[in-house]
Every structure is written in structure tokens, then in C-alpha cells.
Amino acid sequence: TVRASSIGDSLMAKYLLEQVHARFPHARLGLVVASRGGMIRDLLAAYPWIEVVEANRRHPGALWQFIKNFWRSDLGVTQYTGGVLNLSTKLIARLLTRRGGLIGFVDRSPLNSLIYDTLLPHHERAGVPRLLECSALAAAGIPVTARMTFKYLPQPGLLERLGLQKKNYVVVGLFSGADARGLSPQRKQDLVDALVQSLPQEVFVFIGTKTERQKLLELRLPKNAVIADTSVQEAAALIDQASAMVSLGTGTSHIASHLRVPLCVLVACQGLQWVGTDQYGNAPMQVFCRPEACPGGHDYSTYGPCINAVDFDAVAAAAAGYVTGVQKGAL
């Protein structure tokens, strides 16, 4: 299966591949990304039967090895997208997959009917990723046997290294990888202030990339705050042992949902299909978004209005409810 080089997309690819693995435990299974292969391998380190392949035109050797290893595959699945999937990706998938075995999703390309054996519908806002994966599995005749879960490798000594105690801290993710889906610097500070006011004694653990961790230093954080420098596997263990997580909708929030850690998630209106019961069932989650702030569809010209308009006092109250055990209905 070919996917975007992100944690969320790769977790959905894992969901598809583990259903194939359950039905055909000896099949060779590959997840192909164009970049950040090291990060995705770290993410899926507890799944040794998934081969993560980073293949792109800048590394023709790796691309050739990929083609050699997966020549005449029985099943190929390309990713769903709100735009148009790259033609070269489709052609390589066609080259590698036996006739009858290539599954894709409708986009605006007029060539799809010439490339795919099975084309499945996809509507950007209604396209719940888990349901799209299930439709691809159904088209391949493979039953879905499990809800979405996630495994990570043991991380002994992690909490001790960071000075933390299990279930006695809240993980906070203030970044989403793109300003258009994120908070302005002032609103990041407002969210931190609201959390501290609702949970004045709680330890807050802030996570992010190296660049994002540098930006955290520009905020006014509580004295007992921890800025955690972790691998993806360590981040998963850190989230799993937290009392709750507060995050923008991003890769680590998807990890929390897979692990069923209580989550307060702020989501841009264009990404609402990635949260909710159709995606994660009854996972403990409260979703915050103000889609009416983007009346013409998501506004990509600035920091996401639909996220920045969220009531952070409500977010903080929901987080406090998870921490104290006094939970209210999802928003």
C-alpha cells in the first residue's frame, strides 16, 4: 500500500495491512512512503512483518529494490486524497500489481479507469479513513477482524528519565505541522493558561519536533512543565501512560486514539473525518472545532479560524474531567 509520509496515514495503512496479515499470515506486506521512512519505521517498530519502503526518484537504487521485491504483488492499494494522486505513484502501483488486484479511490484524474482494477468512491469530508480502509478490504475479500489498536516496544526508564509518574501527567501537543491547521502563538499561550488554571497542580508534558520544542521556549509555561525530547516509540509510551492528552489533530493524537488514552483534540474543519465514532468507535475523546468560522470551507490563508475560535476554557474543563474522573459528554 502506498501512503503519504505521515503518522496518521501510516497508522491507517497499518490497520489495512494487519487485516491482510490476519488472513494471510505468511504474505509479504509493504508500506511505501516517499520520505521520512526512518520515522515510519520507528512508528511501526512493534510490527516486524510490515516492510517500510522509502522509494522516490532521488534514490533510484531504493526504488529499483522496491520494484524487485514487490514485483507481481497480489494486492495493491493506493491512498485516498482530496486532490489528485500523483500519476507516477499510480503507474508504479499498476506495474507491480497483478491484473485484478489494484485498488484505488476516485479522484479528478481521467486516467483512473485505465489504471485500476477496482475504483472506490471517496468524498473528502465524508471519507472517514477507517471506513475507506474497510471498503478496500471488502473489495479484496478480506474480513475486518479487529478495531484499531496500536502496539509499541517497551521503553524502560522513560518516565524516570523525564521525572514523571504513571498517570500523573497530561501530554500536550500544540503543533499540527502546518500553520493553516494550527494555533497562532497567542492562542497557544491562551490554551496553556487555560489548562494551568483548570489543573494548577498537574504536570504538563509538551511534545513536538526539534523545531517545535524550540518554539515552546517562547511560551510562558508552568514551572513544573516538561518539554520531552523523544522518539516516536517513546512518545507512544509517554502518551499511553498519561492521565490524558490535549492536542491538535496530528499524528500523536492519532496514537492516543489508537491507544484509547483520554483525548481532548482540536481539529480543523477539513479534518473532522479523522475523529469521532465512525473512525475510533467509543474511544474516550472530546472533539473541539468551530467549522462555522470557515463558512466557505477551511481557510488556508491564515492560522485555522475553526481551531483558533475554540473555547479553550471548555477544552481545559474537559481535560480536567478526564484527569479527575468527572467526565462529561463529548462536545
Side-chain angles (χ1 to χ4, degrees):
T1 182
V2 183
R3 301 300 168 114
S5 307
S6 72
I7 289 176
D9 287 277
S10 295
L11 284 173
M12 296 314 305
K14 186 274 300 177
Y15 177 68
L16 179 137
L17 291 176
E18 68 184 340
Q19 312 308 314
V20 180
H21 182 65
R23 177 68 179 82
F24 301 104
H26 301 295
R28 186 172 196 173
L29 302 172
L31 165 57
V32 186
V33 294
S35 62
R36 298 196 284 185
M39 179 189 74
I40 304 304
R41 291 187 191 97
D42 185 15
L43 172 72
L44 300 177
Y47 301 86
W49 41 267
I50 297 179
E51 298 181 42
V52 177
V53 180
E54 182 176 342
N56 55 60
R57 286 172 289 185
R58 296 187 300 276
H59 300 92
L63 183 59
W64 170 247
Q65 191 66 31
F66 159 55
I67 293 173
K68 178 182 176 182
N69 288 343
F70 286 91
W71 179 253
R72 292 184 63 75
S73 292
D74 297 292
L75 175 65
V77 180
T78 57
Q79 69 200 63
Y80 32 85
T81 173
V84 178
L85 186 61
N86 190 288
L87 179 60
S88 63
T89 297
K90 297 176 181 179
L91 293 177
I92 291 175
R94 175 71 279 168
L95 173 70
L96 293 181
T97 309
R98 295 175 187 268
R99 278 292 171 187
L102 183 58
I103 298 172
F105 294 86
V106 170
D107 62 19
R108 294 190 298 273
S109 171
L111 302 176
N112 288 335
S113 61
L114 303 175
I115 296 173
Y116 290 102
D117 300 302
T118 302
L119 263 177
L120 300 172
H122 169 238
H123 305 288
E124 184 176 7
R125 283 185 176 271
V128 176
R130 186 186 66 82
L131 300 183
L132 295 174
E133 305 291 348
C134 289
S135 67
L137 290 162
I142 297 171
V144 178
T145 58
R147 65 172 174 82
M148 288 192 293
T149 59
F150 181 68
K151 296 184 294 185
Y152 58 89
L153 300 177
Q155 302 296 319
L158 174 64
L159 297 191
E160 290 82 358
R161 188 188 90 203
L162 296 173
L164 301 172
Q165 294 182 342
K166 185 176 180 179
K167 302 302 180 184
N168 279 330
Y169 60 90
V170 172
V171 174
V172 181
L174 294 178
F175 300 90
S176 63
D179 287 347
R181 293 184 286 110
L183 297 172
S184 70
Q186 181 56 55
R187 292 300 276 160
K188 289 186 181 75
Q189 185 63 64
D190 293 343
L191 178 55
V192 171
D193 292 344
L195 290 170
V196 172
Q197 184 172 356
S198 285
L199 290 163
Q201 304 303 317
E202 194 72 11
V203 175
F204 293 100
V205 180
F206 295 86
I207 60 174
T209 65
K210 182 179 179 180
T211 300
E212 290 166 353
R213 293 195 302 273
Q214 287 296 317
K215 291 181 179 179
L216 286 170
L217 298 176
E218 301 171 7
L219 298 178
R220 185 177 62 258
L221 303 179
K223 291 182 179 180
N224 62 349
V226 175
I227 298 177
D229 178 3
T230 64
S231 67
V232 179
Q233 287 286 298
E234 290 172 332
L238 192 64
I239 291 167
D240 193 31
Q241 298 176 83
S243 57
M245 182 175 187
V246 177
S247 178
L248 273 66
T250 188
T252 46
S253 73
H254 294 306
I255 291 175
S257 298
H258 278 73
L259 292 170
R260 306 181 81 76
V261 172
L263 172 67
C264 298
V265 61
L266 289 74
V267 185
C269 57
Q270 47 76 229
L272 283 169
Q273 68 272 23
W274 281 84
V275 296
T277 55
D278 284 341
Q279 175 73 355
Y280 288 116
N282 62 352
M285 176 191 304
Q286 298 198 44
V287 179
F288 296 86
C289 180
R290 294 286 301 276
E292 69 276 11
C294 296
H298 186 66
D299 183 354
Y300 288 91
S301 67
T302 182
Y303 294 104
C306 50
I307 300 180
N308 284 266
V310 164
D311 180 352
F312 291 164
D313 289 335
V315 176
Y322 281 132
V323 171
T324 62
V326 182
Q327 298 174 20
K328 298 181 180 180
L331 301 180

